[in-house]
Amino acid sequence: MRRVAIIGGGIAGLSAAFYLERARRGGAHLDWVLFDKSDRLGGVIRTELRDGYVLEAGPDSFLTMKPDGAQFCRDLGIGDQLIPSNDVDRKTYIVVKGRMIPIPDGLEFMVPTRVLPMATTPLFSFATKLRMAGELFSPGGNHREDESVADFVRRHFGQEMVDRVAEPLLAGVYGGNADMMSVRAVLPRFAEMERESGSLVRASLKARKARRAESPAAKPAPLFTSLRNGVQQMVDAALAQLPPDHLRMSTQVTAMKPLGDNWEIQYAGRTERFQTIILATPAPAAAALLKQFHPALIEGLSQIQYSSSAAVVLAYGGLSLPPGHGFLVPRTENRKILACTFVHKKFAHRAPQGDCLLRCFISSSRVPELLTYSDEQLQSMALTELKDLLGVTTRPKFARVFRWDCALPQYQTGHLDRVAKMESILAGIPGMHLVGNSFHGIGIPDCIRSGRKAAEQIISSSC
């Protein structure tokens, strides 16, 4: 009987536990135990229901194009609870000199694919528009080494595209800095497009034409998917199918070491042996537990930096808001918040009829020592920004502040090369799996996939 220790109860650890448990009940010769230092499971996924509002402390959805999120929900038996984002009214604004300017139609991340919206938008200067038009004729086959997202976008479209589109879009996802982030790790599709075609515009137009030829009448899939009562529904559904005596919450694993074909872990003054370990913790925590092993592995994990974040959720009665799902704030605006989502417009079932729910994001990349601020100070930051940018002077019905330390890994330049080296080392350490958001994607589907793949490998070796 193979015993598996899962260390970390975020969605990656829960995914691994769910698929291991399903195999165990199906007759696989394995058993598992999940350890988490918190008194709750789910990691940054946390939903609160209050007075008809659905408040998300962490992610409020996942990308529809990544199938592992929705498939996990179907495997859990809650596929009927999946809901799409309201893309009919989807519009996102960029703050430029204090003004809300909509991202023009046909701009696929930072790649223009439609002429008229690009020509008429006030988001870009005439010089940048000329640069975009000229990019269509870029020569093919760029095979540069990894570079930052900012350098990559700057080469194709200039600094204004970095400042007004690439940086705020990525800051809204990663809470980081485009000058530091790896284009190969963060925007692999665009790096591949450049290698194949040279011009990102030319490659995007070709891809769009191919999609239309393949499915001419197909309705575009929604950009985001969530669950009717919040993302925590998937956590709750997973927990309902896991035996409670296999879950050791409020239990921090303090050390681990190999003993022959086994692993010995220490926690709460006790030791226990397992044949396999799934580390589902952030990279710094994984490095601390693996400090007695391969120095290059520890060095690689230690090089993955994290940002901290806070979400200020504000409930209102009626507000006069622009149409769309919210706005992004470039670093050049010198403001505290990264973004604001009009939650009640992005998804149904998020607020009572006629009411509004706003969620403002603040990151340590913009506000150093973020976690030292009180809830009242963070709420005041958000209210000040909303007053300046949207003219909101009404006091909210209530406010809720959520904060996360070491929340989002920053995939800095050279990230994939460092990951390849670490994965090569891990391949030579029997019974050790690292899952979560440290290596290959920070989204819910990425984390679910990493946990499921580790479980599948263990199940296969246990047959």
Side-chain angles (χ1 to χ4, degrees), residues 107-113 135 142 149 152-153 155-157 169-170 183-184 186-201 203-204:
L107 191 66
E108 297 183 4
F109 186 65
M110 75 286 186
V111 181
T113 61
E135 202 276 345
N142 190 303
V149 170
F152 178 84
V153 175
R155 283 195 296 104
H156 284 271
F157 301 111
L169 280 173
L170 286 178
V183 70
R184 287 174 54 203
V186 173
L187 299 175
R189 183 169 70 92
F190 290 101
E192 181 64 24
M193 287 162 60
E194 182 186 59
R195 284 192 293 271
E196 292 181 352
S197 301
S199 165
L200 302 181
V201 173
S204 295

PDB file of all heavy atoms in Angstrom, residues 107-113 135 142 149 152-153 155-157 169-170 183-184 186-201 203-204:
ATOM      1  N   LEU A 107      -8.645  44.519 -30.206  1.00  0.00           N
ATOM      2  CA  LEU A 107      -7.323  44.496 -29.597  1.00  0.00           C
ATOM      3  C   LEU A 107      -7.212  43.210 -28.785  1.00  0.00           C
ATOM      4  O   LEU A 107      -7.799  43.073 -27.714  1.00  0.00           O
ATOM      5  CB  LEU A 107      -7.110  45.717 -28.701  1.00  0.00           C
ATOM      6  CG  LEU A 107      -5.673  45.942 -28.211  1.00  0.00           C
ATOM      7  CD1 LEU A 107      -4.753  46.286 -29.376  1.00  0.00           C
ATOM      8  CD2 LEU A 107      -5.617  47.043 -27.170  1.00  0.00           C
ATOM      9  N   GLU A 108      -6.482  42.229 -29.306  1.00  0.00           N
ATOM     10  CA  GLU A 108      -6.307  40.940 -28.646  1.00  0.00           C
ATOM     11  C   GLU A 108      -5.057  41.012 -27.787  1.00  0.00           C
ATOM     12  O   GLU A 108      -3.952  40.873 -28.265  1.00  0.00           O
ATOM     13  CB  GLU A 108      -6.217  39.823 -29.679  1.00  0.00           C
ATOM     14  CG  GLU A 108      -7.481  39.668 -30.512  1.00  0.00           C
ATOM     15  CD  GLU A 108      -7.411  38.509 -31.487  1.00  0.00           C
ATOM     16  OE1 GLU A 108      -6.402  37.769 -31.458  1.00  0.00           O
ATOM     17  OE2 GLU A 108      -8.359  38.347 -32.271  1.00  0.00           O
ATOM     18  N   PHE A 109      -5.281  41.253 -26.513  1.00  0.00           N
ATOM     19  CA  PHE A 109      -4.244  41.636 -25.561  1.00  0.00           C
ATOM     20  C   PHE A 109      -3.602  42.916 -26.071  1.00  0.00           C
ATOM     21  O   PHE A 109      -4.167  43.982 -25.909  1.00  0.00           O
ATOM     22  CB  PHE A 109      -3.235  40.508 -25.324  1.00  0.00           C
ATOM     23  CG  PHE A 109      -2.254  40.851 -24.231  1.00  0.00           C
ATOM     24  CD1 PHE A 109      -2.697  41.007 -22.929  1.00  0.00           C
ATOM     25  CD2 PHE A 109      -0.912  41.042 -24.493  1.00  0.00           C
ATOM     26  CE1 PHE A 109      -1.806  41.345 -21.910  1.00  0.00           C
ATOM     27  CE2 PHE A 109      -0.021  41.368 -23.489  1.00  0.00           C
ATOM     28  CZ  PHE A 109      -0.476  41.524 -22.200  1.00  0.00           C
ATOM     29  N   MET A 110      -2.428  42.861 -26.701  1.00  0.00           N
ATOM     30  CA  MET A 110      -1.841  44.107 -27.221  1.00  0.00           C
ATOM     31  C   MET A 110      -1.725  44.087 -28.733  1.00  0.00           C
ATOM     32  O   MET A 110      -1.064  44.927 -29.327  1.00  0.00           O
ATOM     33  CB  MET A 110      -0.457  44.353 -26.591  1.00  0.00           C
ATOM     34  CG  MET A 110       0.666  43.492 -27.102  1.00  0.00           C
ATOM     35  SD  MET A 110       0.612  41.807 -26.514  1.00  0.00           S
ATOM     36  CE  MET A 110       2.152  41.167 -27.150  1.00  0.00           C
ATOM     37  N   VAL A 111      -2.414  43.129 -29.387  1.00  0.00           N
ATOM     38  CA  VAL A 111      -2.283  42.981 -30.840  1.00  0.00           C
ATOM     39  C   VAL A 111      -3.530  43.517 -31.531  1.00  0.00           C
ATOM     40  O   VAL A 111      -4.633  42.992 -31.347  1.00  0.00           O
ATOM     41  CB  VAL A 111      -2.065  41.503 -31.225  1.00  0.00           C
ATOM     42  CG1 VAL A 111      -1.906  41.379 -32.735  1.00  0.00           C
ATOM     43  CG2 VAL A 111      -0.843  40.936 -30.506  1.00  0.00           C
ATOM     44  N   PRO A 112      -3.400  44.554 -32.368  1.00  0.00           N
ATOM     45  CA  PRO A 112      -4.548  45.097 -33.091  1.00  0.00           C
ATOM     46  C   PRO A 112      -4.935  44.208 -34.264  1.00  0.00           C
ATOM     47  O   PRO A 112      -4.076  43.793 -35.044  1.00  0.00           O
ATOM     48  CB  PRO A 112      -4.056  46.461 -33.576  1.00  0.00           C
ATOM     49  CG  PRO A 112      -2.571  46.313 -33.682  1.00  0.00           C
ATOM     50  CD  PRO A 112      -2.163  45.336 -32.618  1.00  0.00           C
ATOM     51  N   THR A 113      -6.230  43.905 -34.381  1.00  0.00           N
ATOM     52  CA  THR A 113      -6.693  43.057 -35.484  1.00  0.00           C
ATOM     53  C   THR A 113      -7.812  43.721 -36.289  1.00  0.00           C
ATOM     54  O   THR A 113      -8.305  43.114 -37.239  1.00  0.00           O
ATOM     55  CB  THR A 113      -7.191  41.703 -34.952  1.00  0.00           C
ATOM     56  OG1 THR A 113      -8.287  41.924 -34.052  1.00  0.00           O
ATOM     57  CG2 THR A 113      -6.083  40.949 -34.230  1.00  0.00           C
ATOM     58  N   GLU A 135       3.826  47.199 -37.889  1.00  0.00           N
ATOM     59  CA  GLU A 135       4.181  45.890 -37.333  1.00  0.00           C
ATOM     60  C   GLU A 135       3.715  44.756 -38.227  1.00  0.00           C
ATOM     61  O   GLU A 135       4.324  43.672 -38.229  1.00  0.00           O
ATOM     62  CB  GLU A 135       3.564  45.749 -35.935  1.00  0.00           C
ATOM     63  CG  GLU A 135       4.230  44.733 -35.036  1.00  0.00           C
ATOM     64  CD  GLU A 135       3.738  43.313 -35.245  1.00  0.00           C
ATOM     65  OE1 GLU A 135       2.672  43.129 -35.890  1.00  0.00           O
ATOM     66  OE2 GLU A 135       4.392  42.367 -34.737  1.00  0.00           O
ATOM     67  N   ASN A 142      11.894  35.501 -35.395  1.00  0.00           N
ATOM     68  CA  ASN A 142      12.713  36.000 -34.303  1.00  0.00           C
ATOM     69  C   ASN A 142      12.917  34.876 -33.296  1.00  0.00           C
ATOM     70  O   ASN A 142      11.972  34.306 -32.781  1.00  0.00           O
ATOM     71  CB  ASN A 142      12.020  37.194 -33.624  1.00  0.00           C
ATOM     72  CG  ASN A 142      12.952  37.895 -32.648  1.00  0.00           C
ATOM     73  OD1 ASN A 142      13.474  37.281 -31.738  1.00  0.00           O
ATOM     74  ND2 ASN A 142      13.141  39.179 -32.863  1.00  0.00           N
ATOM     75  N   VAL A 149       8.323  40.910 -20.722  1.00  0.00           N
ATOM     76  CA  VAL A 149       7.130  41.264 -21.486  1.00  0.00           C
ATOM     77  C   VAL A 149       7.242  42.684 -22.004  1.00  0.00           C
ATOM     78  O   VAL A 149       6.887  42.978 -23.155  1.00  0.00           O
ATOM     79  CB  VAL A 149       5.873  41.102 -20.614  1.00  0.00           C
ATOM     80  CG1 VAL A 149       4.645  41.691 -21.308  1.00  0.00           C
ATOM     81  CG2 VAL A 149       5.629  39.636 -20.285  1.00  0.00           C
ATOM     82  N   PHE A 152       9.525  42.826 -25.010  1.00  0.00           N
ATOM     83  CA  PHE A 152       8.879  42.163 -26.141  1.00  0.00           C
ATOM     84  C   PHE A 152       7.835  43.078 -26.784  1.00  0.00           C
ATOM     85  O   PHE A 152       7.825  43.275 -28.007  1.00  0.00           O
ATOM     86  CB  PHE A 152       8.233  40.873 -25.642  1.00  0.00           C
ATOM     87  CG  PHE A 152       7.488  40.087 -26.682  1.00  0.00           C
ATOM     88  CD1 PHE A 152       8.150  39.208 -27.518  1.00  0.00           C
ATOM     89  CD2 PHE A 152       6.111  40.212 -26.813  1.00  0.00           C
ATOM     90  CE1 PHE A 152       7.463  38.462 -28.468  1.00  0.00           C
ATOM     91  CE2 PHE A 152       5.408  39.480 -27.756  1.00  0.00           C
ATOM     92  CZ  PHE A 152       6.084  38.609 -28.588  1.00  0.00           C
ATOM     93  N   VAL A 153       6.953  43.627 -25.971  1.00  0.00           N
ATOM     94  CA  VAL A 153       5.894  44.493 -26.495  1.00  0.00           C
ATOM     95  C   VAL A 153       6.491  45.771 -27.061  1.00  0.00           C
ATOM     96  O   VAL A 153       6.061  46.272 -28.113  1.00  0.00           O
ATOM     97  CB  VAL A 153       4.859  44.800 -25.394  1.00  0.00           C
ATOM     98  CG1 VAL A 153       3.816  45.794 -25.890  1.00  0.00           C
ATOM     99  CG2 VAL A 153       4.189  43.520 -24.916  1.00  0.00           C
ATOM    100  N   ARG A 155       9.368  46.212 -28.506  1.00  0.00           N
ATOM    101  CA  ARG A 155       9.964  45.966 -29.826  1.00  0.00           C
ATOM    102  C   ARG A 155       8.915  45.978 -30.928  1.00  0.00           C
ATOM    103  O   ARG A 155       9.172  46.408 -32.052  1.00  0.00           O
ATOM    104  CB  ARG A 155      10.688  44.618 -29.841  1.00  0.00           C
ATOM    105  CG  ARG A 155      12.027  44.605 -29.167  1.00  0.00           C
ATOM    106  CD  ARG A 155      12.843  43.361 -29.515  1.00  0.00           C
ATOM    107  NE  ARG A 155      12.259  42.114 -29.050  1.00  0.00           N
ATOM    108  CZ  ARG A 155      11.624  41.240 -29.828  1.00  0.00           C
ATOM    109  NH1 ARG A 155      11.464  41.485 -31.121  1.00  0.00           N
ATOM    110  NH2 ARG A 155      11.144  40.113 -29.325  1.00  0.00           N
ATOM    111  N   HIS A 156       7.710  45.482 -30.592  1.00  0.00           N
ATOM    112  CA  HIS A 156       6.678  45.373 -31.625  1.00  0.00           C
ATOM    113  C   HIS A 156       5.839  46.634 -31.770  1.00  0.00           C
ATOM    114  O   HIS A 156       5.497  47.031 -32.894  1.00  0.00           O
ATOM    115  CB  HIS A 156       5.766  44.183 -31.311  1.00  0.00           C
ATOM    116  CG  HIS A 156       6.370  42.863 -31.625  1.00  0.00           C
ATOM    117  ND1 HIS A 156       6.264  42.258 -32.855  1.00  0.00           N
ATOM    118  CD2 HIS A 156       7.125  42.027 -30.873  1.00  0.00           C
ATOM    119  CE1 HIS A 156       6.905  41.105 -32.853  1.00  0.00           C
ATOM    120  NE2 HIS A 156       7.441  40.933 -31.656  1.00  0.00           N
ATOM    121  N   PHE A 157       5.495  47.249 -30.637  1.00  0.00           N
ATOM    122  CA  PHE A 157       4.497  48.324 -30.712  1.00  0.00           C
ATOM    123  C   PHE A 157       4.895  49.612 -29.997  1.00  0.00           C
ATOM    124  O   PHE A 157       4.143  50.583 -30.046  1.00  0.00           O
ATOM    125  CB  PHE A 157       3.164  47.838 -30.123  1.00  0.00           C
ATOM    126  CG  PHE A 157       2.608  46.631 -30.819  1.00  0.00           C
ATOM    127  CD1 PHE A 157       2.557  45.403 -30.174  1.00  0.00           C
ATOM    128  CD2 PHE A 157       2.141  46.713 -32.121  1.00  0.00           C
ATOM    129  CE1 PHE A 157       2.046  44.288 -30.808  1.00  0.00           C
ATOM    130  CE2 PHE A 157       1.624  45.603 -32.769  1.00  0.00           C
ATOM    131  CZ  PHE A 157       1.579  44.381 -32.115  1.00  0.00           C
ATOM    132  N   LEU A 169      -2.699  45.247 -17.907  1.00  0.00           N
ATOM    133  CA  LEU A 169      -3.355  43.949 -18.045  1.00  0.00           C
ATOM    134  C   LEU A 169      -2.639  42.881 -17.227  1.00  0.00           C
ATOM    135  O   LEU A 169      -3.267  42.090 -16.512  1.00  0.00           O
ATOM    136  CB  LEU A 169      -3.406  43.536 -19.515  1.00  0.00           C
ATOM    137  CG  LEU A 169      -4.506  44.177 -20.369  1.00  0.00           C
ATOM    138  CD1 LEU A 169      -4.324  43.804 -21.833  1.00  0.00           C
ATOM    139  CD2 LEU A 169      -5.890  43.755 -19.897  1.00  0.00           C
ATOM    140  N   LEU A 170      -1.314  42.853 -17.310  1.00  0.00           N
ATOM    141  CA  LEU A 170      -0.566  41.849 -16.563  1.00  0.00           C
ATOM    142  C   LEU A 170      -0.558  42.141 -15.077  1.00  0.00           C
ATOM    143  O   LEU A 170      -0.592  41.219 -14.257  1.00  0.00           O
ATOM    144  CB  LEU A 170       0.864  41.766 -17.090  1.00  0.00           C
ATOM    145  CG  LEU A 170       1.012  41.065 -18.437  1.00  0.00           C
ATOM    146  CD1 LEU A 170       2.455  41.080 -18.881  1.00  0.00           C
ATOM    147  CD2 LEU A 170       0.520  39.627 -18.360  1.00  0.00           C
ATOM    148  N   VAL A 183       8.362  36.793 -20.972  1.00  0.00           N
ATOM    149  CA  VAL A 183       7.366  36.673 -22.037  1.00  0.00           C
ATOM    150  C   VAL A 183       7.125  35.206 -22.383  1.00  0.00           C
ATOM    151  O   VAL A 183       5.992  34.813 -22.690  1.00  0.00           O
ATOM    152  CB  VAL A 183       7.802  37.483 -23.283  1.00  0.00           C
ATOM    153  CG1 VAL A 183       8.995  36.850 -23.984  1.00  0.00           C
ATOM    154  CG2 VAL A 183       6.631  37.620 -24.263  1.00  0.00           C
ATOM    155  N   ARG A 184       8.142  34.372 -22.286  1.00  0.00           N
ATOM    156  CA  ARG A 184       7.951  32.957 -22.602  1.00  0.00           C
ATOM    157  C   ARG A 184       7.069  32.259 -21.580  1.00  0.00           C
ATOM    158  O   ARG A 184       6.323  31.346 -21.917  1.00  0.00           O
ATOM    159  CB  ARG A 184       9.315  32.257 -22.681  1.00  0.00           C
ATOM    160  CG  ARG A 184      10.123  32.596 -23.920  1.00  0.00           C
ATOM    161  CD  ARG A 184      11.520  31.985 -23.847  1.00  0.00           C
ATOM    162  NE  ARG A 184      11.451  30.544 -23.598  1.00  0.00           N
ATOM    163  CZ  ARG A 184      12.449  29.849 -23.062  1.00  0.00           C
ATOM    164  NH1 ARG A 184      13.564  30.468 -22.683  1.00  0.00           N
ATOM    165  NH2 ARG A 184      12.321  28.546 -22.887  1.00  0.00           N
ATOM    166  N   VAL A 186       4.822  33.951 -19.404  1.00  0.00           N
ATOM    167  CA  VAL A 186       3.561  34.647 -19.183  1.00  0.00           C
ATOM    168  C   VAL A 186       2.728  34.736 -20.458  1.00  0.00           C
ATOM    169  O   VAL A 186       1.498  34.631 -20.416  1.00  0.00           O
ATOM    170  CB  VAL A 186       3.838  36.054 -18.614  1.00  0.00           C
ATOM    171  CG1 VAL A 186       2.562  36.873 -18.523  1.00  0.00           C
ATOM    172  CG2 VAL A 186       4.501  35.948 -17.245  1.00  0.00           C
ATOM    173  N   LEU A 187       3.392  34.921 -21.587  1.00  0.00           N
ATOM    174  CA  LEU A 187       2.690  35.057 -22.870  1.00  0.00           C
ATOM    175  C   LEU A 187       3.274  34.075 -23.890  1.00  0.00           C
ATOM    176  O   LEU A 187       3.772  34.482 -24.947  1.00  0.00           O
ATOM    177  CB  LEU A 187       2.807  36.496 -23.402  1.00  0.00           C
ATOM    178  CG  LEU A 187       2.222  37.602 -22.531  1.00  0.00           C
ATOM    179  CD1 LEU A 187       2.524  38.962 -23.132  1.00  0.00           C
ATOM    180  CD2 LEU A 187       0.719  37.429 -22.367  1.00  0.00           C
ATOM    181  N   PRO A 188       3.228  32.782 -23.610  1.00  0.00           N
ATOM    182  CA  PRO A 188       3.865  31.812 -24.512  1.00  0.00           C
ATOM    183  C   PRO A 188       3.276  31.820 -25.912  1.00  0.00           C
ATOM    184  O   PRO A 188       4.002  31.601 -26.893  1.00  0.00           O
ATOM    185  CB  PRO A 188       3.630  30.470 -23.810  1.00  0.00           C
ATOM    186  CG  PRO A 188       2.442  30.692 -22.913  1.00  0.00           C
ATOM    187  CD  PRO A 188       2.569  32.117 -22.463  1.00  0.00           C
ATOM    188  N   ARG A 189       1.971  32.074 -26.013  1.00  0.00           N
ATOM    189  CA  ARG A 189       1.342  32.064 -27.339  1.00  0.00           C
ATOM    190  C   ARG A 189       1.916  33.167 -28.221  1.00  0.00           C
ATOM    191  O   ARG A 189       2.165  32.964 -29.416  1.00  0.00           O
ATOM    192  CB  ARG A 189      -0.171  32.223 -27.206  1.00  0.00           C
ATOM    193  CG  ARG A 189      -0.915  32.152 -28.537  1.00  0.00           C
ATOM    194  CD  ARG A 189      -2.411  32.054 -28.319  1.00  0.00           C
ATOM    195  NE  ARG A 189      -2.978  33.278 -27.803  1.00  0.00           N
ATOM    196  CZ  ARG A 189      -3.474  34.253 -28.569  1.00  0.00           C
ATOM    197  NH1 ARG A 189      -3.449  34.138 -29.879  1.00  0.00           N
ATOM    198  NH2 ARG A 189      -3.995  35.331 -28.026  1.00  0.00           N
ATOM    199  N   PHE A 190       2.149  34.337 -27.635  1.00  0.00           N
ATOM    200  CA  PHE A 190       2.677  35.448 -28.426  1.00  0.00           C
ATOM    201  C   PHE A 190       4.144  35.227 -28.777  1.00  0.00           C
ATOM    202  O   PHE A 190       4.590  35.589 -29.871  1.00  0.00           O
ATOM    203  CB  PHE A 190       2.490  36.761 -27.670  1.00  0.00           C
ATOM    204  CG  PHE A 190       1.054  37.196 -27.586  1.00  0.00           C
ATOM    205  CD1 PHE A 190       0.315  36.990 -26.433  1.00  0.00           C
ATOM    206  CD2 PHE A 190       0.431  37.772 -28.669  1.00  0.00           C
ATOM    207  CE1 PHE A 190      -1.016  37.367 -26.360  1.00  0.00           C
ATOM    208  CE2 PHE A 190      -0.902  38.168 -28.608  1.00  0.00           C
ATOM    209  CZ  PHE A 190      -1.627  37.951 -27.452  1.00  0.00           C
ATOM    210  N   ALA A 191       4.895  34.627 -27.862  1.00  0.00           N
ATOM    211  CA  ALA A 191       6.281  34.313 -28.183  1.00  0.00           C
ATOM    212  C   ALA A 191       6.357  33.315 -29.336  1.00  0.00           C
ATOM    213  O   ALA A 191       7.203  33.437 -30.236  1.00  0.00           O
ATOM    214  CB  ALA A 191       6.984  33.751 -26.946  1.00  0.00           C
ATOM    215  N   GLU A 192       5.446  32.337 -29.345  1.00  0.00           N
ATOM    216  CA  GLU A 192       5.400  31.363 -30.433  1.00  0.00           C
ATOM    217  C   GLU A 192       4.963  32.016 -31.740  1.00  0.00           C
ATOM    218  O   GLU A 192       5.490  31.707 -32.818  1.00  0.00           O
ATOM    219  CB  GLU A 192       4.441  30.228 -30.061  1.00  0.00           C
ATOM    220  CG  GLU A 192       4.331  29.131 -31.111  1.00  0.00           C
ATOM    221  CD  GLU A 192       5.626  28.382 -31.325  1.00  0.00           C
ATOM    222  OE1 GLU A 192       6.471  28.361 -30.397  1.00  0.00           O
ATOM    223  OE2 GLU A 192       5.819  27.826 -32.424  1.00  0.00           O
ATOM    224  N   MET A 193       4.004  32.926 -31.661  1.00  0.00           N
ATOM    225  CA  MET A 193       3.559  33.641 -32.859  1.00  0.00           C
ATOM    226  C   MET A 193       4.709  34.411 -33.493  1.00  0.00           C
ATOM    227  O   MET A 193       4.867  34.440 -34.717  1.00  0.00           O
ATOM    228  CB  MET A 193       2.412  34.591 -32.491  1.00  0.00           C
ATOM    229  CG  MET A 193       1.096  33.883 -32.208  1.00  0.00           C
ATOM    230  SD  MET A 193      -0.096  34.910 -31.296  1.00  0.00           S
ATOM    231  CE  MET A 193      -0.317  36.279 -32.406  1.00  0.00           C
ATOM    232  N   GLU A 194       5.551  35.026 -32.665  1.00  0.00           N
ATOM    233  CA  GLU A 194       6.680  35.772 -33.204  1.00  0.00           C
ATOM    234  C   GLU A 194       7.681  34.831 -33.871  1.00  0.00           C
ATOM    235  O   GLU A 194       8.213  35.131 -34.948  1.00  0.00           O
ATOM    236  CB  GLU A 194       7.372  36.569 -32.098  1.00  0.00           C
ATOM    237  CG  GLU A 194       8.534  37.393 -32.632  1.00  0.00           C
ATOM    238  CD  GLU A 194       9.334  38.076 -31.539  1.00  0.00           C
ATOM    239  OE1 GLU A 194       9.853  37.353 -30.665  1.00  0.00           O
ATOM    240  OE2 GLU A 194       9.457  39.313 -31.582  1.00  0.00           O
ATOM    241  N   ARG A 195       7.939  33.678 -33.230  1.00  0.00           N
ATOM    242  CA  ARG A 195       8.887  32.729 -33.811  1.00  0.00           C
ATOM    243  C   ARG A 195       8.410  32.236 -35.171  1.00  0.00           C
ATOM    244  O   ARG A 195       9.201  32.040 -36.094  1.00  0.00           O
ATOM    245  CB  ARG A 195       9.091  31.540 -32.872  1.00  0.00           C
ATOM    246  CG  ARG A 195       9.982  31.842 -31.678  1.00  0.00           C
ATOM    247  CD  ARG A 195      10.392  30.566 -30.948  1.00  0.00           C
ATOM    248  NE  ARG A 195       9.265  29.903 -30.313  1.00  0.00           N
ATOM    249  CZ  ARG A 195       8.855  30.156 -29.075  1.00  0.00           C
ATOM    250  NH1 ARG A 195       9.473  31.098 -28.356  1.00  0.00           N
ATOM    251  NH2 ARG A 195       7.836  29.498 -28.555  1.00  0.00           N
ATOM    252  N   GLU A 196       7.103  32.051 -35.308  1.00  0.00           N
ATOM    253  CA  GLU A 196       6.567  31.491 -36.542  1.00  0.00           C
ATOM    254  C   GLU A 196       6.354  32.531 -37.632  1.00  0.00           C
ATOM    255  O   GLU A 196       6.573  32.248 -38.818  1.00  0.00           O
ATOM    256  CB  GLU A 196       5.242  30.786 -36.251  1.00  0.00           C
ATOM    257  CG  GLU A 196       5.388  29.524 -35.398  1.00  0.00           C
ATOM    258  CD  GLU A 196       4.065  28.849 -35.148  1.00  0.00           C
ATOM    259  OE1 GLU A 196       3.020  29.443 -35.499  1.00  0.00           O
ATOM    260  OE2 GLU A 196       4.059  27.725 -34.606  1.00  0.00           O
ATOM    261  N   SER A 197       5.914  33.731 -37.236  1.00  0.00           N
ATOM    262  CA  SER A 197       5.488  34.707 -38.242  1.00  0.00           C
ATOM    263  C   SER A 197       6.241  36.025 -38.211  1.00  0.00           C
ATOM    264  O   SER A 197       6.149  36.796 -39.174  1.00  0.00           O
ATOM    265  CB  SER A 197       3.987  35.002 -38.079  1.00  0.00           C
ATOM    266  OG  SER A 197       3.227  33.818 -38.212  1.00  0.00           O
ATOM    267  N   GLY A 198       6.937  36.302 -37.122  1.00  0.00           N
ATOM    268  CA  GLY A 198       7.579  37.600 -37.012  1.00  0.00           C
ATOM    269  C   GLY A 198       6.592  38.649 -36.556  1.00  0.00           C
ATOM    270  O   GLY A 198       6.692  39.192 -35.472  1.00  0.00           O
ATOM    271  N   SER A 199       5.601  38.929 -37.368  1.00  0.00           N
ATOM    272  CA  SER A 199       4.572  39.918 -37.055  1.00  0.00           C
ATOM    273  C   SER A 199       3.475  39.296 -36.198  1.00  0.00           C
ATOM    274  O   SER A 199       2.867  38.290 -36.573  1.00  0.00           O
ATOM    275  CB  SER A 199       3.962  40.473 -38.338  1.00  0.00           C
ATOM    276  OG  SER A 199       2.759  41.160 -38.062  1.00  0.00           O
ATOM    277  N   LEU A 200       3.182  39.896 -35.052  1.00  0.00           N
ATOM    278  CA  LEU A 200       2.089  39.433 -34.209  1.00  0.00           C
ATOM    279  C   LEU A 200       0.740  39.741 -34.852  1.00  0.00           C
ATOM    280  O   LEU A 200      -0.214  38.969 -34.710  1.00  0.00           O
ATOM    281  CB  LEU A 200       2.171  40.086 -32.832  1.00  0.00           C
ATOM    282  CG  LEU A 200       3.464  39.852 -32.047  1.00  0.00           C
ATOM    283  CD1 LEU A 200       3.388  40.552 -30.695  1.00  0.00           C
ATOM    284  CD2 LEU A 200       3.732  38.370 -31.867  1.00  0.00           C
ATOM    285  N   VAL A 201       0.657  40.873 -35.539  1.00  0.00           N
ATOM    286  CA  VAL A 201      -0.591  41.234 -36.222  1.00  0.00           C
ATOM    287  C   VAL A 201      -0.894  40.209 -37.308  1.00  0.00           C
ATOM    288  O   VAL A 201      -2.019  39.693 -37.413  1.00  0.00           O
ATOM    289  CB  VAL A 201      -0.499  42.648 -36.825  1.00  0.00           C
ATOM    290  CG1 VAL A 201      -1.740  42.940 -37.673  1.00  0.00           C
ATOM    291  CG2 VAL A 201      -0.364  43.690 -35.723  1.00  0.00           C
ATOM    292  N   ALA A 203       0.155  37.129 -37.573  1.00  0.00           N
ATOM    293  CA  ALA A 203      -0.162  35.833 -36.979  1.00  0.00           C
ATOM    294  C   ALA A 203      -1.566  35.818 -36.380  1.00  0.00           C
ATOM    295  O   ALA A 203      -2.296  34.829 -36.502  1.00  0.00           O
ATOM    296  CB  ALA A 203       0.867  35.491 -35.899  1.00  0.00           C
ATOM    297  N   SER A 204      -1.974  36.912 -35.745  1.00  0.00           N
ATOM    298  CA  SER A 204      -3.303  36.977 -35.137  1.00  0.00           C
ATOM    299  C   SER A 204      -4.400  36.962 -36.191  1.00  0.00           C
ATOM    300  O   SER A 204      -5.431  36.306 -36.029  1.00  0.00           O
ATOM    301  CB  SER A 204      -3.422  38.233 -34.271  1.00  0.00           C
ATOM    302  OG  SER A 204      -2.542  38.177 -33.178  1.00  0.00           O
TER     303      SER A 204
END
